[in-house]
Amino acid sequence: MPRTAVFFHAHPDDEALLTAGTMAMLAAEGHRVVLVVATAGERGLADVEPGEELARTRTAELYKSAAALGCARVVLLGYGDSGLSSDGGVAGDRPDNAFIDADSEEAAGRLAKVLIEEEADLLTIYDPAGGYGHPDHVQVHRVGGRAAEIAGTPVVLEATVNRDPLLKGLRLAGRFYRFPAEFDVRAFERAYTPGDAITHRVNVRRFARQKRASMEAHATQAAGGEGPRTLAVMLKVPGPLYRLLFGTEWYVRRDLPAGARLTHPFDHWPRS
């Protein structure tokens, strides 16, 4: 039976990095996939000047990504990009309508309206730390969780990354590569989610082409700033290795018992 899954993200390109394979998979299976984004990402690093021009460009990139993934609908909630300060916290010069400053109940009500309209069976948000701690990502966790309560959405999955292989890879890379002084591998000891807490490991290798197309759509996020950008590095990975490295997407469902191991967003526990 076709179902409806709503994927809630903070900025354009977040869907490409965390959930694109799952979105493409569900769309291919005949489910309705809806992408909701809190901000236009107008304060992100890019070769385009921050502000309205970048917002328009990143919005166009978002729709291109959504088309590549088979999304049936895209909704922008219209909040301002909160940005980051130099130390990774909340930017002090953020706009008046910054998502981080939004009333959580009001924002949750706006998202809940979409969930109710869509009769959503599933909502994805982020883990409590917002992955790597971006304030808008933390707000997605708070707002999304509350919206699901208001709308009565039965399944909430926290999109995350398995911290264990990530840390292992970074430590191994550190033996051969000197990271910039401001890059602290130890910070990843608190980022994302340890493997034993992850409930869903979704194999999306068959949808690597769509996932890569989603990443490629966000051209502004592959350039700008100092040093190589994460998206640019990912897009340089050859096809077979790309499928291996980015062929699994991880989620946590908090109402499942410890030790749950599922492979599809709509799987039941225990398996029926």
Side-chain angles (χ1 to χ4, degrees), residues 126-209:
Y126 302 141
D127 56 48
Y132 62 94
H134 192 296
D136 282 338
H137 288 223
V138 176
Q139 184 76 321
V140 162
H141 175 80
R142 289 194 293 257
V143 168
R146 177 60 182 140
E149 291 177 355
I150 296 170
T153 303
V155 177
V156 178
L157 299 183
E158 297 175 5
T160 188
V161 172
N162 188 336
R163 181 196 301 164
D164 302 340
L166 176 62
L167 273 175
K168 184 178 180 180
L170 287 172
R171 287 166 179 159
L172 179 62
R175 296 172 61 182
F176 305 98
Y177 171 76
R178 179 173 292 181
F179 292 114
E182 64 274 12
F183 185 86
D184 185 3
V185 174
R186 292 172 301 177
F188 287 89
E189 295 174 358
R190 302 180 299 277
Y192 300 109
T193 306
D196 60 5
I198 290 173
T199 59
H200 291 66
R201 293 161 173 79
V202 182
N203 184 337
V204 297
R205 291 180 186 175
R206 289 193 300 119
F207 302 94
R209 178 180 58 82

Coordinates of all heavy atoms in Angstrom, one line a residue, residues 126-209:
Y126 N 16.1 15.2 12.7 CA 17.5 14.9 13.1 C 17.6 14.4 14.5 O 16.7 14.5 15.3 CB 18.4 16.2 12.9 CG 18.4 16.8 11.6 CD1 18.4 18.2 11.4 CD2 18.4 16.1 10.4 CE1 18.4 18.8 10.2 CE2 18.4 16.7 9.2 CZ 18.4 18.1 9.1 OH 18.3 18.7 7.8
D127 N 18.8 13.9 14.8 CA 19.0 13.5 16.2 C 19.1 14.7 17.1 O 19.2 15.8 16.7 CB 20.3 12.6 16.3 CG 21.5 13.3 15.8 OD1 21.8 14.5 16.2 OD2 22.3 12.7 15.0
P128 N 19.0 14.5 18.4 CA 19.0 15.6 19.4 C 20.1 16.6 19.2 O 19.9 17.8 19.5 CB 19.0 15.0 20.8 CG 18.4 13.6 20.5 CD 18.9 13.2 19.2
A129 N 21.3 16.2 18.8 CA 22.4 17.0 18.7 C 22.4 17.8 17.3 O 23.3 18.6 17.1 CB 23.7 16.2 18.8
G130 N 21.4 17.5 16.5 CA 21.4 18.1 15.2 C 22.6 17.6 14.3 O 23.1 18.4 13.5
G131 N 23.0 16.4 14.5 CA 24.1 15.8 13.8 C 25.4 16.4 14.3 O 26.0 15.9 15.3
Y132 N 25.9 17.4 13.7 CA 27.2 18.0 14.1 C 27.0 19.3 14.9 O 27.9 20.0 15.2 CB 28.1 18.3 12.9 CG 27.5 19.3 11.9 CD1 27.8 20.7 11.9 CD2 26.6 18.9 10.9 CE1 27.2 21.6 11.1 CE2 26.0 19.8 10.0 CZ 26.4 21.1 10.1 OH 25.8 22.0 9.2
G133 N 25.7 19.6 15.3 CA 25.5 20.7 16.2 C 25.0 22.0 15.6 O 24.9 23.0 16.4
H134 N 24.8 22.1 14.3 CA 24.3 23.3 13.8 C 23.0 23.7 14.4 O 22.1 22.9 14.6 CB 24.0 23.1 12.3 CG 23.8 24.4 11.5 ND1 22.7 25.2 11.8 CD2 24.6 25.1 10.6 CE1 22.8 26.3 11.0 NE2 23.9 26.2 10.3
P135 N 22.8 24.9 14.9 CA 21.6 25.3 15.6 C 20.3 25.1 14.9 O 19.3 24.7 15.5 CB 21.9 26.8 15.9 CG 22.9 27.3 15.0 CD 23.8 26.1 14.8
D136 N 20.3 25.3 13.6 CA 19.1 25.1 12.8 C 18.8 23.6 12.8 O 17.6 23.2 12.7 CB 19.3 25.6 11.4 CG 19.1 27.1 11.3 OD1 18.5 27.7 12.2 OD2 19.6 27.7 10.3
H137 N 19.8 22.7 12.8 CA 19.5 21.3 12.9 C 18.9 20.8 14.2 O 18.1 20.0 14.3 CB 20.8 20.5 12.6 CG 21.3 20.6 11.2 ND1 21.8 19.5 10.5 CD2 21.3 21.7 10.3 CE1 22.1 19.9 9.2 NE2 21.8 21.2 9.1
V138 N 19.4 21.4 15.3 CA 18.9 21.2 16.6 C 17.4 21.6 16.7 O 16.6 20.9 17.2 CB 19.7 21.9 17.7 CG1 19.1 21.7 19.1 CG2 21.1 21.3 17.7
Q139 N 17.1 22.7 16.0 CA 15.8 23.2 16.0 C 14.9 22.3 15.2 O 13.7 22.1 15.5 CB 15.7 24.7 15.4 CG 14.4 25.3 15.4 CD 13.9 25.9 16.8 OE1 14.1 25.2 17.8 NE2 13.3 27.0 16.8
V140 N 15.4 21.7 14.1 CA 14.6 20.7 13.3 C 14.2 19.6 14.2 O 13.0 19.1 14.2 CB 15.4 20.2 12.1 CG1 14.8 18.9 11.6 CG2 15.4 21.3 11.0
H141 N 15.1 19.1 15.1 CA 14.8 18.0 16.0 C 13.6 18.4 16.9 O 12.6 17.7 17.1 CB 16.0 17.6 16.8 CG 15.7 16.6 17.9 ND1 15.6 15.3 17.6 CD2 15.4 16.7 19.2 CE1 15.3 14.6 18.7 NE2 15.2 15.5 19.7
R142 N 13.7 19.6 17.5 CA 12.7 20.1 18.5 C 11.4 20.3 17.8 O 10.3 19.8 18.2 CB 13.1 21.4 19.1 CG 14.3 21.2 20.1 CD 14.4 22.5 21.0 NE 14.9 23.6 20.2 CZ 16.1 24.1 20.2 NH1 17.0 23.5 21.0 NH2 16.4 25.1 19.5
V143 N 11.4 21.1 16.7 CA 10.2 21.4 16.0 C 9.5 20.2 15.4 O 8.3 20.0 15.5 CB 10.5 22.5 14.9 CG1 9.3 22.7 14.0 CG2 10.8 23.8 15.6
G144 N 10.3 19.3 14.8 CA 9.8 18.2 14.1 C 9.1 17.2 15.1 O 8.0 16.6 14.8
G145 N 9.8 17.0 16.2 CA 9.2 16.1 17.2 C 7.9 16.6 17.7 O 6.9 15.8 17.8
R146 N 7.8 17.9 18.0 CA 6.5 18.4 18.4 C 5.4 18.4 17.3 O 4.3 18.1 17.6 CB 6.7 19.9 18.9 CG 5.5 20.6 19.4 CD 4.8 19.9 20.5 NE 3.6 20.6 20.9 CZ 2.5 20.0 21.3 NH1 2.4 18.6 21.3 NH2 1.4 20.7 21.6
A147 N 5.8 18.6 16.1 CA 4.9 18.6 15.0 C 4.2 17.2 14.8 O 3.0 17.1 14.6 CB 5.5 19.0 13.7
A148 N 5.1 16.2 15.0 CA 4.5 14.8 14.9 C 3.5 14.6 16.0 O 2.5 13.9 15.8 CB 5.7 13.8 15.0
E149 N 3.8 15.1 17.2 CA 2.8 14.9 18.3 C 1.5 15.6 18.0 O 0.4 15.0 18.2 CB 3.4 15.5 19.6 CG 4.6 14.8 20.2 CD 5.1 15.5 21.4 OE1 4.7 16.6 21.7 OE2 6.0 14.9 22.0
I150 N 1.6 16.8 17.5 CA 0.4 17.6 17.1 C -0.4 16.9 16.0 O -1.7 16.7 16.1 CB 0.7 19.0 16.7 CG1 1.4 19.8 17.8 CG2 -0.5 19.7 16.1 CD1 2.0 21.1 17.4
A151 N 0.3 16.4 15.0 CA -0.4 15.8 13.8 C -0.8 14.3 14.1 O -1.6 13.8 13.3 CB 0.5 15.9 12.6
G152 N -0.2 13.7 15.1 CA -0.4 12.3 15.3 C 0.3 11.4 14.3 O -0.1 10.3 14.0
T153 N 1.4 11.9 13.7 CA 2.2 11.1 12.8 C 2.8 9.9 13.5 O 3.5 10.1 14.5 CB 3.3 12.0 12.2 OG1 2.7 13.1 11.6 CG2 4.1 11.2 11.1
P154 N 2.5 8.7 13.0 CA 2.8 7.5 13.8 C 4.3 7.1 13.9 O 4.8 6.5 14.9 CB 2.1 6.4 13.1 CG 1.8 6.9 11.7 CD 1.7 8.4 11.8
V155 N 5.1 7.5 12.8 CA 6.5 7.0 12.8 C 7.4 8.3 12.7 O 7.2 9.1 11.7 CB 6.8 6.1 11.7 CG1 8.3 5.7 11.6 CG2 6.0 4.8 11.8
V156 N 8.3 8.4 13.6 CA 9.3 9.5 13.5 C 10.7 8.9 13.5 O 11.1 8.2 14.4 CB 9.2 10.5 14.7 CG1 10.3 11.6 14.6 CG2 7.8 11.1 14.7
L157 N 11.5 9.2 12.5 CA 12.8 8.7 12.3 C 13.8 9.8 12.4 O 13.6 10.9 11.8 CB 13.0 7.9 11.0 CG 12.2 6.7 10.8 CD1 12.6 6.1 9.4 CD2 12.3 5.7 11.9
E158 N 14.9 9.7 13.2 CA 15.9 10.7 13.3 C 17.0 10.3 12.3 O 17.7 9.3 12.5 CB 16.5 10.8 14.7 CG 15.4 11.2 15.7 CD 16.0 11.1 17.1 OE1 17.2 10.8 17.3 OE2 15.2 11.3 18.1
A159 N 17.2 11.1 11.3 CA 18.3 10.9 10.3 C 19.6 11.3 11.0 O 19.7 12.3 11.6 CB 18.0 11.8 9.1
T160 N 20.6 10.4 10.8 CA 21.8 10.6 11.5 C 22.9 9.9 10.7 O 22.7 9.5 9.5 CB 21.7 10.0 12.9 OG1 22.9 10.3 13.7 CG2 21.5 8.5 12.9
V161 N 24.1 9.8 11.3 CA 25.2 9.1 10.7 C 25.8 8.1 11.8 O 25.8 8.5 13.0 CB 26.3 10.1 10.3 CG1 27.6 9.3 9.8 CG2 25.8 10.9 9.1
N162 N 26.2 7.0 11.4 CA 26.8 6.0 12.3 C 28.2 6.6 12.7 O 29.1 6.7 11.9 CB 27.0 4.7 11.7 CG 27.5 3.6 12.7 OD1 28.1 3.9 13.7 ND2 27.2 2.4 12.4
R163 N 28.3 7.0 14.0 CA 29.5 7.7 14.5 C 30.7 6.8 14.5 O 31.9 7.3 14.3 CB 29.2 8.2 15.9 CG 30.4 8.9 16.6 CD 30.2 9.0 18.1 NE 29.0 9.7 18.4 CZ 28.4 9.7 19.6 NH1 29.0 9.0 20.6 NH2 27.3 10.4 19.8
D164 N 30.5 5.5 14.7 CA 31.7 4.6 14.9 C 32.6 4.5 13.7 O 33.8 4.8 13.8 CB 31.2 3.2 15.3 CG 30.3 3.2 16.6 OD1 30.4 4.2 17.3 OD2 29.5 2.3 16.8
P165 N 32.1 4.2 12.5 CA 33.0 4.1 11.3 C 33.5 5.5 10.9 O 34.6 5.6 10.4 CB 32.1 3.5 10.2 CG 30.7 3.7 10.6 CD 30.7 3.7 12.1
L166 N 32.7 6.5 11.2 CA 33.1 7.9 10.9 C 34.4 8.3 11.7 O 35.4 8.8 11.1 CB 32.0 8.9 11.2 CG 32.3 10.4 11.0 CD1 32.7 10.7 9.6 CD2 31.1 11.2 11.5
L167 N 34.3 8.0 13.0 CA 35.5 8.3 13.8 C 36.7 7.4 13.4 O 37.8 7.9 13.4 CB 35.1 8.0 15.3 CG 34.5 9.1 16.1 CD1 34.1 8.6 17.5 CD2 35.4 10.3 16.2
K168 N 36.4 6.2 13.1 CA 37.5 5.3 12.7 C 38.2 5.8 11.5 O 39.4 5.8 11.4 CB 37.0 3.9 12.5 CG 38.0 2.8 12.2 CD 37.4 1.5 12.0 CE 38.4 0.4 11.7 NZ 37.8 -0.9 11.5
G169 N 37.4 6.2 10.5 CA 37.9 6.8 9.3 C 38.7 8.0 9.4 O 39.8 8.2 8.8
L170 N 38.2 8.9 10.3 CA 38.9 10.2 10.5 C 40.2 10.0 11.3 O 41.2 10.6 10.9 CB 38.0 11.1 11.4 CG 36.8 11.7 10.7 CD1 35.9 12.4 11.7 CD2 37.3 12.7 9.6
R171 N 40.2 9.0 12.2 CA 41.5 8.8 12.9 C 42.5 8.1 12.0 O 43.7 8.4 12.1 CB 41.2 7.9 14.1 CG 40.5 8.6 15.3 CD 39.9 7.6 16.3 NE 39.3 8.3 17.4 CZ 38.3 7.8 18.2 NH1 38.0 6.5 18.0 NH2 37.8 8.5 19.1
L172 N 42.0 7.3 11.1 CA 42.9 6.6 10.1 C 43.5 7.7 9.2 O 44.7 7.7 8.9 CB 42.2 5.6 9.3 CG 43.0 4.8 8.3 CD1 44.2 4.1 8.9 CD2 42.1 3.8 7.5
A173 N 42.6 8.6 8.7 CA 43.0 9.6 7.8 C 44.0 10.6 8.5 O 45.0 11.0 7.8 CB 41.8 10.5 7.3
G174 N 43.9 10.8 9.8 CA 44.8 11.6 10.5 C 46.2 11.1 10.6 O 47.2 11.9 10.8
R175 N 46.4 9.8 10.3 CA 47.7 9.2 10.3 C 48.5 9.6 9.0 O 49.7 9.5 9.0 CB 47.6 7.7 10.5 CG 47.0 7.3 11.8 CD 46.8 5.8 11.9 NE 48.0 5.0 11.7 CZ 48.0 3.7 11.7 NH1 46.9 3.0 11.8 NH2 49.1 3.0 11.5
F176 N 47.7 10.0 8.0 CA 48.4 10.2 6.7 C 48.1 11.7 6.2 O 48.8 12.1 5.2 CB 47.8 9.3 5.6 CG 47.9 7.8 6.0 CD1 46.9 7.1 6.6 CD2 49.1 7.1 5.8 CE1 47.0 5.8 6.9 CE2 49.3 5.8 6.2 CZ 48.2 5.1 6.7
Y177 N 47.2 12.4 6.9 CA 46.9 13.7 6.4 C 46.8 14.7 7.6 O 46.2 14.3 8.6 CB 45.5 13.7 5.7 CG 44.9 15.0 5.4 CD1 45.4 15.7 4.3 CD2 43.9 15.5 6.1 CE1 44.8 17.0 4.0 CE2 43.3 16.8 5.8 CZ 43.8 17.5 4.7 OH 43.3 18.7 4.4
R178 N 47.4 15.8 7.4 CA 47.3 16.8 8.5 C 46.1 17.7 8.4 O 46.0 18.5 7.4 CB 48.6 17.7 8.5 CG 48.6 18.7 9.6 CD 50.0 19.5 9.6 NE 51.0 18.6 10.1 CZ 52.3 19.0 10.2 NH1 52.6 20.2 10.0 NH2 53.2 18.1 10.7
F179 N 45.1 17.5 9.3 CA 43.9 18.3 9.2 C 44.3 19.8 9.6 O 45.2 20.1 10.3 CB 42.9 17.8 10.2 CG 42.3 16.5 9.8 CD1 42.6 15.3 10.6 CD2 41.5 16.3 8.7 CE1 42.0 14.1 10.3 CE2 41.0 15.1 8.4 CZ 41.3 14.0 9.2
P180 N 43.4 20.8 9.1 CA 43.6 22.1 9.5 C 43.6 22.3 11.0 O 42.9 21.5 11.7 CB 42.5 22.9 8.8 CG 42.1 22.0 7.7 CD 42.3 20.6 8.2
A181 N 44.2 23.3 11.6 CA 44.3 23.5 13.0 C 43.0 23.6 13.7 O 42.8 23.2 14.8 CB 45.2 24.8 13.3
E182 N 42.0 24.2 12.9 CA 40.7 24.4 13.5 C 39.8 23.1 13.5 O 38.7 23.1 14.1 CB 39.9 25.5 12.8 CG 39.6 25.3 11.4 CD 40.7 25.7 10.4 OE1 41.8 25.9 10.9 OE2 40.4 25.7 9.2
F183 N 40.3 22.1 12.8 CA 39.5 20.9 12.7 C 39.9 19.9 13.9 O 41.0 19.5 14.0 CB 39.8 20.2 11.4 CG 39.0 18.9 11.1 CD1 37.7 19.0 10.6 CD2 39.4 17.7 11.5 CE1 37.0 17.9 10.3 CE2 38.7 16.5 11.3 CZ 37.4 16.7 10.7
D184 N 38.9 19.7 14.7 CA 39.1 18.8 15.9 C 38.4 17.5 15.8 O 37.2 17.5 15.9 CB 38.7 19.6 17.2 CG 39.0 18.8 18.4 OD1 39.6 17.8 18.4 OD2 38.6 19.3 19.5
V185 N 39.1 16.5 15.5 CA 38.5 15.1 15.3 C 37.7 14.8 16.6 O 36.7 14.1 16.5 CB 39.6 14.1 15.0 CG1 39.0 12.7 15.0 CG2 40.2 14.4 13.7
R186 N 38.2 15.2 17.8 CA 37.5 14.8 19.0 C 36.1 15.3 19.1 O 35.2 14.8 19.8 CB 38.3 15.4 20.2 CG 39.7 14.7 20.4 CD 40.5 15.4 21.5 NE 40.7 16.8 21.1 CZ 41.3 17.7 21.9 NH1 41.8 17.3 23.1 NH2 41.5 18.9 21.5
A187 N 35.8 16.4 18.3 CA 34.4 16.9 18.3 C 33.4 15.9 17.8 O 32.3 15.9 18.1 CB 34.4 18.2 17.4
F188 N 33.9 15.0 16.9 CA 33.0 14.0 16.4 C 32.7 12.9 17.3 O 31.9 12.0 17.1 CB 33.6 13.4 15.1 CG 33.6 14.4 13.9 CD1 34.6 15.3 13.7 CD2 32.5 14.4 13.1 CE1 34.5 16.2 12.6 CE2 32.4 15.3 12.0 CZ 33.4 16.2 11.8
E189 N 33.4 12.9 18.5 CA 33.1 11.9 19.5 C 31.7 12.2 20.1 O 31.1 11.3 20.8 CB 34.1 11.9 20.6 CG 35.5 11.4 20.1 CD 36.6 11.6 21.2 OE1 36.3 12.1 22.3 OE2 37.7 11.2 20.9
R190 N 31.2 13.4 19.9 CA 29.9 13.8 20.4 C 28.9 14.0 19.3 O 27.7 14.3 19.6 CB 30.0 15.1 21.3 CG 31.0 15.0 22.4 CD 31.1 16.3 23.2 NE 31.6 17.4 22.4 CZ 32.9 17.6 22.2 NH1 33.8 16.8 22.7 NH2 33.2 18.7 21.4
A191 N 29.3 13.9 18.1 CA 28.4 14.2 16.9 C 27.7 12.9 16.5 O 28.1 11.8 16.8 CB 29.2 14.7 15.8
Y192 N 26.5 13.1 15.9 CA 25.7 12.0 15.3 C 25.4 11.0 16.4 O 25.1 11.3 17.5 CB 26.4 11.5 14.1 CG 26.6 12.5 13.0 CD1 27.9 13.0 12.7 CD2 25.5 13.0 12.3 CE1 28.0 14.0 11.8 CE2 25.7 14.0 11.4 CZ 26.9 14.5 11.1 OH 27.1 15.5 10.1
T193 N 25.4 9.7 16.0 CA 24.9 8.6 16.9 C 25.8 7.4 16.9 O 26.2 6.9 15.8 CB 23.5 8.2 16.4 OG1 22.6 9.4 16.2 CG2 22.8 7.2 17.3
P194 N 26.0 6.8 18.1 CA 26.8 5.5 18.1 C 26.0 4.4 17.4 O 24.8 4.4 17.5 CB 27.0 5.3 19.6 CG 25.9 6.0 20.3 CD 25.6 7.2 19.4
G195 N 26.8 3.4 16.9 CA 26.1 2.4 16.1 C 25.1 1.6 16.9 O 24.1 1.2 16.4
D196 N 25.4 1.4 18.2 CA 24.4 0.5 19.0 C 23.1 1.2 19.3 O 22.2 0.6 19.8 CB 25.1 0.0 20.3 CG 25.5 1.2 21.2 OD1 25.2 2.3 20.9 OD2 26.1 0.9 22.2
A197 N 23.0 2.5 18.9 CA 21.7 3.2 19.2 C 20.9 3.3 17.9 O 19.8 3.8 17.9 CB 22.0 4.6 19.7
I198 N 21.5 3.0 16.7 CA 20.8 3.1 15.5 C 19.9 1.9 15.2 O 20.2 0.8 15.4 CB 21.9 3.2 14.3 CG1 22.6 4.5 14.4 CG2 21.2 3.0 13.0 CD1 23.8 4.6 13.5
T199 N 18.6 2.3 14.8 CA 17.6 1.2 14.7 C 17.4 0.9 13.2 O 16.9 -0.2 12.9 CB 16.3 1.7 15.2 OG1 15.9 2.9 14.6 CG2 16.4 1.9 16.7
H200 N 17.8 1.8 12.3 CA 17.5 1.5 10.8 C 18.8 1.8 10.0 O 19.4 2.8 10.1 CB 16.5 2.5 10.3 CG 15.1 2.2 10.8 ND1 14.7 2.4 12.1 CD2 13.9 1.8 10.1 CE1 13.4 2.1 12.3 NE2 13.0 1.7 11.1
R201 N 19.2 0.7 9.3 CA 20.3 0.8 8.3 C 19.7 0.5 7.0 O 19.4 -0.6 6.6 CB 21.4 -0.2 8.7 CG 22.1 0.1 10.0 CD 22.8 -1.1 10.6 NE 23.6 -0.8 11.7 CZ 23.2 -0.6 13.0 NH1 21.9 -0.8 13.2 NH2 24.0 -0.3 14.0
V202 N 19.5 1.6 6.2 CA 18.8 1.5 4.9 C 19.8 1.4 3.8 O 20.6 2.3 3.6 CB 17.9 2.6 4.7 CG1 17.1 2.5 3.4 CG2 16.9 2.8 5.9
N203 N 19.8 0.3 3.0 CA 20.7 0.1 1.9 C 20.2 0.8 0.7 O 19.1 0.5 0.2 CB 20.9 -1.4 1.6 CG 21.8 -1.7 0.5 OD1 22.2 -0.8 -0.3 ND2 22.4 -2.9 0.5
V204 N 20.9 1.9 0.3 CA 20.4 2.7 -0.8 C 21.4 2.7 -2.0 O 21.4 3.6 -2.9 CB 20.2 4.2 -0.4 CG1 19.1 4.2 0.7 CG2 21.5 4.8 0.1
R205 N 22.2 1.6 -2.1 CA 23.2 1.6 -3.2 C 22.6 1.6 -4.6 O 23.1 2.1 -5.5 CB 24.1 0.3 -3.0 CG 25.0 0.4 -1.8 CD 25.8 -0.9 -1.6 NE 26.6 -0.8 -0.4 CZ 27.4 -1.8 0.0 NH1 27.5 -2.9 -0.7 NH2 28.0 -1.7 1.2
R206 N 21.4 1.0 -4.7 CA 20.7 0.9 -6.0 C 20.3 2.3 -6.4 O 20.0 2.5 -7.6 CB 19.5 0.0 -6.0 CG 19.8 -1.5 -5.9 CD 18.6 -2.3 -6.2 NE 17.5 -2.1 -5.2 CZ 16.3 -1.7 -5.6 NH1 16.0 -1.4 -6.8 NH2 15.4 -1.5 -4.6
F207 N 20.3 3.3 -5.5 CA 19.8 4.6 -5.8 C 21.0 5.6 -5.7 O 20.7 6.8 -5.5 CB 18.7 5.0 -4.9 CG 17.5 4.0 -5.0 CD1 17.4 2.9 -4.2 CD2 16.6 4.2 -6.0 CE1 16.4 2.0 -4.3 CE2 15.6 3.2 -6.2 CZ 15.4 2.2 -5.3
A208 N 22.2 5.1 -5.9 CA 23.4 6.0 -5.8 C 23.3 7.0 -6.9 O 23.8 8.2 -6.7 CB 24.6 5.1 -5.9
R209 N 22.8 6.7 -8.1 CA 22.8 7.7 -9.2 C 21.9 8.8 -8.8 O 22.2 10.0 -9.0 CB 22.2 7.0 -10.5 CG 22.1 7.9 -11.7 CD 21.6 7.2 -12.9 NE 20.3 6.5 -12.6 CZ 19.1 7.2 -12.7 NH1 19.1 8.5 -13.0 NH2 18.0 6.5 -12.4

